[in-house]
Amino acid sequence: MIHCYSGYENKVRHNLEQRIETMGMKDMIFDVVIPTQEEIEVKEGKRRTVERHIFPGYVLVNLALTEEFVVCGSQYPGVTGFVGMGNFANTLAA
């Protein structure tokens, strides 16, 4: 999981997907997902369907973890860190 500022999820995903293309990392990064769900919202008497993030501030990434990704991934605008990797990412990004 990549932790980012709330509201920057799509921007981080877009930047990551661009990096995958330009650096040829398709064999290391398999999937980038922002989990969402549709909700019905009633506002001013009108019903509309809204897509909301299930985990605001997080982007899920299925990848083969390497030092290269951790170092370059922490330099994206809006990214604050990584979740679920223990001290591995923290020692590399420091």
Side-chain angles (χ1 to χ4, degrees), residues 11-22:
K11 187 172 190 169
V12 169
R13 177 182 176 179
H14 177 73
N15 288 339
L16 185 57
E17 288 173 345
Q18 280 186 328
R19 179 74 57 107
I20 292 168
E21 290 292 324
T22 59

Side-chain angles (χ1 to χ4, degrees), residues 55 63-64 85-86:
F55 305 116
L63 56 87
M85 294 188 298

Side-chain angles (χ1 to χ4, degrees), residues 19-87:
R19 179 74 57 107
I20 292 168
E21 290 292 324
T22 59
M23 295 184 70
M25 299 174 79
K26 286 188 177 195
D27 58 333
M28 292 188 302
I29 301 174
F30 311 113
D31 200 12
V32 181
V33 178
I34 302 171
T36 59
Q37 68 181 13
E38 289 186 1
E39 294 181 355
I40 297 174
E41 181 179 86
V42 178
K43 197 172 192 179
E44 298 177 6
K46 297 180 182 177
R47 292 176 59 139
R48 64 181 193 155
T49 304
V50 179
E51 194 170 274
R52 298 211 191 272
H53 294 221
I54 296 173
F55 305 116
Y58 293 94
V59 178
L60 299 158
V61 182
N62 183 11
L63 56 87
L65 188 60
T66 61
E67 288 183 34
E68 178 185 353
F69 176 77
V70 173
V71 172
C72 77
S74 62
Q75 297 171 355
Y76 290 123
V79 172
T80 60
F82 299 90
V83 178
M85 294 188 298
N87 290 333

